[in-house]
Amino acid sequence: MRLSNNRPLRITLTFSVVLAILASLFWIIGVTWAPSWIKKQVEEYSQKLGYAIQIQAITVKPFLLTAQVEGLRLQQIQGKQLFGLDAGQIRLDWSKLITGELGVRDLQLTNPSILVERAEGDGSKWNWIQLIETINAQKPASSSTKPKAIKVSVDQFRIQGARLQFRDGQTKFTDDLGPFSLNLKQLSNYRKASDEPGMEGLYELDLGKVDLLIPSLNKMVVFEKVQASGGISSPEPDRLEAKLNLKLDAGILDFLLNLEPKQDLIKVDVAIDNFSVAPIITLLPANNPLQTNSGIMAGKLQYQTRQGLWSVEGDLGLMDIEITEGKPRQPFMKWRQADLKQIDLRKLASGKSSLTIDEIVFDQPDFKFELDEQGFSNIRRMFAKPTSTSVTASSSAAVEAKPSNFELDIKAIKLRNGIVHFADLAVVPQLQTDIRKLNGSLLGVSNVPGRYAAIALDGLIADRGSFRAKGQAAFEDPRRNHDVLFEFKNVPLKTANAYFMKYAGYAIQDGRLDLMLNYRAKDAELVGQNRFVIKDIELGEEVPNFQGRRLPLRLAIALLEDSDNIIDISLGIKGNVDSPEFSAAGLVWQAIRTVLTNIVTAPFRALASLLGLQSDTPIHAVLGESSYLPVDQEKLDKLAGVLAKRPHATIEFIGAYDPNADKAALARARADRAILNAAGFKLSPQEPLPMPSLSDPRVQSGVKSAYGQQVGRIKLAQRLISLPDNEARYQQLRNELIQSYVVSEAELLQLASARANRAKELMVAQQPNLAERINIGASKTVNADQEGIPLGVSLGSKK
């Protein structure tokens, strides 16, 4: 009975002893024999490969399923080190091993370093590709049956103090990345939701400060703090999806990568938020480095590549940009916001690359244009390429331009409430003035040879002057090919006092200037038509010790000034912009000497002067439109201020029209707006209406569409058959389209009434209490003068 009662105890003791012996053997093998065996096997394998693998120490903790390695080095025999590791540790998961899965709880690498290198010479390979090829050569021939893949998962993979070195002997590119840290989580070679083969994982990366060299530009991009996180998965067979949240200093870039190898497709969606533009500005190809004190970028882009072709599409916004240049740093340009809409950058099947943008809108742009003591602009100083002295201007102009491998097409560039700071340091005293409230657009900007962009700009200059530009220019080389009209109105003569002192030998005390410049250049041959209107000029003292040719200004003023103290003269100029002797300033002052021989009848003095508005011209509406230029809008603003201070006064606006000039201008405006609308250029009624550029294929299509709707499709077909397909064809179609618009007397009366009502709207916008004291009178006919259509104004009293 005692023997049978002790049998379970003996079985338990025997099992415990056997288990202890097995555990001891397992511990002895893992702790003493396994490290030596592993080191021996690694050394023998490395000798077969022709590489040296060194391991300082290996520690195994069998019961914890943990192994540690210290001082691991991989290098070529008598060569450079490819990989180094100060310490590494791996800890396995018992529960997953029992189910047949290689489960890793924790994998840690401390201070790993990797060298990626390629020697000089066309046939050289990267060092790691050579290692992989060597390893593959040692593998036995593969059998027809493939073993079942083992499920592998890693709960956490941590890398600390890593360094990555690039050495490319072919491109001379070198860079060192690190130290950085990387944290990977929940890695697996199968999809956990379906237990099917695939890839999943999450990661975090901390690179710290990153200095990245751009070899082609030999410039460095610096980020003080770089962090990344995200995940990778394989939601479907043959499809890889990866997410990356990249933090570059204060900026955030969210990437979504889709890879479909069978479709040869890579697609990357990028969301950008609060990304500093400072690193990008430093890469601009300026002669002196450009910098920015502020500015961020935001937007969304999509990159896609398939079968060797790629594209980038999306929208971008650039906010609060301020760019400086030179030493000491000087402001160059800034803006509050710039929106780039529908960007499309792609590589074409022809091998060329193209960039198309639907619209770029600049809000409150601020730009500096400066002429230095030698007369060279800051744009030329910053971006002009040095020219060879062995090539003359005439010979270089004769060389036929090679077609560009890059095509640019910007549908519209729009400016909102901008300012241009102009300075001329070549005159004494130095000249400085501003063009403010600059608004307008450039339509159809392209570098395709022979294509012209339409230009329309309005602004204010000095205290009460205005600026307007209209026309077109070929942006392939706008200096050599353009047709533009510049209008400067009501500009204080003292603004140009430095030029009078330098070229004429007199100072200017007072006076106003209207300047109309119409310049046309075709293949560098410039023809210009200019008109100067000088009002109430008052000469000051002669410049002492003047060395130039003193102009007889006092005599000229006495002979040319009419009873209203106005000088009105016109002139023409010619020149070749490629000629080394070409000087715009020289031509202008040569023209000033010429125009003193031409006198034009002066306009009458305005009623506004009785109200203390300091203006000697009436308020003018734009020919063919019910709008007013900024200088006339300011006159209405001041008139509203005067009327507000006279509570018993009333005012009556009398709309006017010129039966001939307005009819032609109104028909032309309707035709041009129809053409631009049909071409896809949407302009609001308040925007300046540019002249359509008939070299733009979109405008040509708009001409045909507008012509077909207005004149008739049968007539259009006849014209397309009979007329050669060139720019002259579309000019004739435009002319016929203009002639087809019949403007009735009722429409002219409506236009006159709209002018009067628009003037009232502008005044009421400034002084809402004036609405009941502003009346609209009966419209009348007038003769348009060179300023436009004068608005009839009559003062009255409520009493």
Side-chain angles (χ1 to χ4, degrees):
M1 291 296 293
R2 180 177 299 176
L3 182 62
S4 64
N5 290 336
N6 292 333
R7 183 177 179 84
L9 179 60
R10 289 201 303 270
I11 293 174
T12 302
L13 291 174
T14 302
F15 179 77
S16 299
V17 171
V18 173
L19 183 62
I21 293 173
L22 291 175
S24 299
L25 289 174
F26 183 64
W27 182 85
I28 293 171
I29 292 173
V31 173
T32 61
W33 177 79
S36 300
W37 181 83
I38 293 174
K39 290 178 67 175
K40 182 179 179 181
Q41 295 299 317
V42 169
E43 291 176 356
E44 291 178 356
Y45 184 69
S46 65
Q47 291 176 0
K48 293 181 181 180
L49 294 178
Y51 287 79
I53 302 178
Q54 299 177 358
I55 302 177
Q56 184 178 347
I58 298 178
T59 303
V60 178
K61 297 179 180 180
F63 297 117
L64 299 177
L65 289 184
T66 301
Q68 296 178 343
V69 61
E70 296 180 3
L72 175 61
R73 303 290 184 266
L74 170 64
Q75 63 184 40
Q76 299 170 330
I77 301 297
Q78 298 179 350
K80 298 180 179 180
Q81 178 177 295
L82 277 72
F83 177 78
L85 179 67
D86 288 353
Q89 175 178 296
I90 184 171
R91 183 159 61 99
L92 303 181
D93 189 338
W94 277 105
S95 61
K96 293 185 178 179
L97 289 176
I98 294 174
T99 62
E101 178 180 343
L102 179 57
V104 179
R105 284 190 176 182
D106 188 29
L107 178 60
Q108 299 182 33
L109 302 180
T110 304
N111 298 334
S113 62
I114 300 175
L115 172 64
V116 180
E117 185 178 46
R118 179 171 62 173
E120 298 180 6
D122 296 336
S124 60
K125 298 181 180 180
W126 293 99
N127 53 354
W128 284 92
I129 293 180
Q130 293 176 344
L131 175 59
I132 293 173
E133 292 177 348
T134 304
I135 294 174
N136 291 334
Q138 298 293 327
K139 291 182 179 180
S142 60
S143 59
S144 58
T145 60
K146 296 184 178 179
K148 184 179 179 180
I150 300 176
K151 294 170 63 176
V152 180
S153 63
V154 180
D155 293 343
Q156 185 160 298
F157 181 16
R158 292 178 290 181
I159 299 177
Q160 296 179 344
R163 286 189 175 275
L164 186 60
Q165 297 176 308
F166 290 95
R167 303 286 185 269
D168 189 356
Q170 292 187 12
T171 63
K172 308 301 180 183
F173 173 72
T174 62
D175 197 11
D176 293 340
L177 185 62
F180 62 88
S181 61
L182 175 64
N183 190 12
L184 305 174
K185 298 179 181 179
Q186 303 177 18
L187 298 176
S188 65
N189 66 344
Y190 63 93
R191 295 192 289 273
K192 295 180 180 179
S194 60
D195 205 34
E196 296 179 352
M199 182 178 293
E200 291 183 354
L202 304 175
Y203 59 87
E204 295 177 356
L205 177 65
D206 189 350
L207 296 175
K209 182 178 180 180
V210 175
D211 300 335
L212 182 61
L213 177 66
I214 309 298
S216 59
L217 301 176
N218 195 28
K219 293 184 177 181
M220 187 76 71
V221 176
V222 179
F223 296 101
E224 295 295 332
K225 186 178 181 181
V226 178
Q227 293 178 320
S229 62
I232 186 170
S233 63
S234 179
E236 301 175 3
D238 300 318
R239 179 184 167 202
L240 181 66
E241 183 177 285
K243 296 181 180 180
L244 168 63
N245 176 262
L246 184 61
K247 296 180 180 179
L248 302 174
D249 296 333
I252 298 176
L253 283 76
D254 283 317
F255 295 86
L256 176 60
L257 167 68
N258 280 284
L259 175 62
E260 299 181 26
K262 286 190 175 181
Q263 302 296 327
D264 192 22
L265 173 65
I266 299 176
K267 185 167 66 174
V268 183
D269 292 284
V270 186
I272 306 170
D273 184 34
N274 201 42
F275 179 71
S276 173
V277 301
I280 300 175
I281 297 299
T282 59
L283 299 180
L284 295 177
N287 295 328
N288 293 317
L290 299 178
Q291 296 181 5
T292 178
N293 299 324
S294 64
I296 59 173
M297 176 191 301
K300 292 184 178 181
L301 297 173
Q302 183 183 85
Y303 170 82
Q304 182 170 310
T305 177
R306 177 181 293 188
Q307 297 179 353
L309 301 179
W310 54 264
S311 65
V312 178
E313 300 178 343
D315 302 309
L316 280 179
L318 303 173
M319 285 73 74
D320 298 321
I321 306 295
E322 182 177 1
I323 302 174
T324 61
E325 59 92 16
K327 292 183 180 180
R329 308 304 301 178
Q330 298 292 328
F332 173 47
M333 68 168 58
K334 63 181 179 180
W335 59 79
R336 191 185 70 85
Q337 181 162 340
D339 293 320
L340 287 74
K341 303 177 181 179
Q342 298 184 29
I343 303 169
D344 189 328
L345 174 64
R346 64 181 58 240
K347 180 181 179 181
L348 306 175
S350 62
K352 295 183 177 181
S353 56
S354 71
L355 172 61
T356 61
I357 302 176
D358 185 74
E359 186 178 65
I360 302 178
V361 180
F362 288 96
D363 184 22
Q364 299 180 24
D366 190 313
F367 174 70
K368 181 178 181 180
F369 185 79
E370 180 182 270
L371 301 175
D372 62 16
E373 288 79 359
Q374 289 74 40
F376 296 122
S377 71
N378 54 343
I379 305 297
R380 178 175 178 178
R381 171 170 46 82
M382 283 189 288
F383 297 105
K385 296 180 180 180
T387 56
S388 173
T389 56
S390 60
V391 181
T392 64
S394 59
S395 62
S396 62
V399 177
E400 184 176 351
K402 295 181 180 180
S404 174
N405 288 326
F406 178 76
E407 295 180 358
L408 173 67
D409 187 1
I410 303 176
K411 189 174 182 181
I413 300 176
K414 297 187 177 182
L415 307 180
R416 298 290 180 265
N417 198 22
I419 184 170
V420 176
H421 306 280
F422 174 78
D424 190 345
L425 309 183
V427 294
V428 179
Q430 294 178 346
L431 172 65
Q432 293 185 350
T433 189
D434 296 336
I435 299 176
R436 52 192 174 86
K437 293 187 179 180
L438 185 63
N439 294 278
S441 60
L442 289 78
L443 306 182
V445 177
S446 172
N447 67 342
V448 175
R451 186 175 303 178
Y452 285 72
I455 302 171
L457 299 170
D458 287 342
L460 298 176
I461 188 170
D463 57 346
R464 288 174 284 135
S466 70
F467 163 79
R468 182 178 236 198
K470 271 196 171 186
Q472 56 186 13
F475 272 77
E476 177 202 17
D477 193 345
R479 185 170 178 267
R480 303 180 78 248
N481 294 281
H482 59 260
D483 184 355
V484 290
L485 173 65
F486 298 99
E487 292 182 315
F488 299 86
K489 293 189 176 182
N490 205 32
V491 179
L493 275 176
K494 294 180 69 173
T495 302
N497 204 16
Y499 294 117
F500 281 94
M501 296 175 66
K502 179 177 180 179
Y503 293 102
Y506 282 92
I508 300 296
Q509 292 291 342
D510 200 4
R512 315 294 292 184
L513 171 67
D514 290 353
L515 176 62
M516 281 66 73
L517 309 174
N518 186 195
Y519 289 150
R520 299 181 181 180
K522 181 67 174 176
D523 297 331
E525 293 297 332
L526 174 70
V527 176
Q529 295 295 327
N530 306 269
R531 178 170 176 256
F532 299 83
V533 179
I534 302 173
K535 310 170 186 178
D536 293 327
I537 183 171
E538 292 184 16
L539 286 182
E541 298 297 327
E542 296 183 5
V543 176
N545 303 320
F546 181 69
Q547 301 298 320
R549 179 183 175 187
R550 194 184 300 275
L551 293 178
L553 290 185
R554 294 190 186 278
L555 178 60
I557 293 172
L559 294 176
L560 298 176
E561 196 171 48
D562 65 8
S563 59
D564 289 323
N565 301 324
I566 294 178
I567 300 173
D568 193 337
I569 45 184
S570 300
L571 60 94
I573 60 172
K574 293 183 179 180
N576 188 297
V577 299
D578 287 338
S579 173
E581 295 81 18
F582 179 82
S583 170
L587 286 177
V588 168
W589 283 98
Q590 179 183 351
I592 289 177
R593 296 186 180 97
T594 305
V595 297
L596 297 179
T597 59
N598 298 323
I599 301 175
V600 180
T601 303
F604 57 88
R605 193 173 300 274
L607 177 64
S609 60
L610 297 177
L611 301 177
L613 299 182
Q614 299 179 355
S615 173
D616 60 353
T617 58
I619 299 169
H620 288 89
V622 178
L623 199 65
E625 303 177 24
S626 60
S627 60
Y628 296 87
L629 294 179
V631 65
D632 295 293
Q633 293 180 22
E634 283 202 343
K635 293 177 185 177
L636 289 168
D637 293 345
K638 293 178 180 180
L639 186 60
V642 171
L643 192 62
K645 296 177 181 179
R646 293 168 171 80
H648 301 293
T650 63
I651 191 170
E652 182 181 65
F653 286 137
I654 303 169
Y657 67 93
D658 185 319
N660 297 319
D662 266 329
K663 185 176 294 186
L666 191 59
R668 182 170 60 252
R670 288 181 178 177
D672 286 347
R673 190 171 294 276
I675 290 171
L676 291 173
N677 285 337
F681 300 109
K682 305 302 181 184
L683 298 174
S684 66
Q686 290 76 26
E687 290 187 74
L689 180 64
M691 180 181 295
S693 174
L694 299 179
S695 64
D696 190 329
R698 290 167 295 199
V699 173
Q700 295 175 356
S701 177
V703 171
K704 292 187 288 188
S705 177
Y707 189 100
Q709 293 180 6
Q710 175 68 17
V711 181
R713 300 191 180 279
I714 297 177
K715 187 72 171 180
L716 174 63
Q718 294 173 346
R719 282 289 183 264
L720 295 179
I721 294 174
S722 62
L723 296 175
D725 189 7
N726 52 30
E727 193 171 327
R729 167 204 274 184
Y730 297 97
Q731 184 61 60
Q732 181 171 338
L733 291 177
R734 175 176 174 266
N735 293 337
E736 294 179 7
L737 178 62
I738 293 172
Q739 296 172 3
S740 70
Y741 283 97
V742 178
V743 180
S744 66
E745 185 71 17
E747 289 174 308
L748 292 174
L749 288 171
Q750 184 180 2
L751 174 62
S753 177
R755 286 168 173 163
N757 281 282
R758 179 56 179 164
K760 179 178 179 178
E761 290 173 3
L762 291 172
M763 287 187 62
V764 172
Q766 293 294 321
Q767 300 287 344
N769 296 331
L770 295 180
E772 295 181 357
R773 290 197 282 143
I774 302 177
N775 303 312
I776 305 298
S779 301
K780 65 177 182 179
T781 61
V782 297
N783 291 323
D785 58 32
Q786 296 186 8
E787 307 295 333
I789 302 295
L791 176 69
V793 179
S794 176
L795 291 175
S797 175
K798 294 195 298 182
K799 294 182 179 181

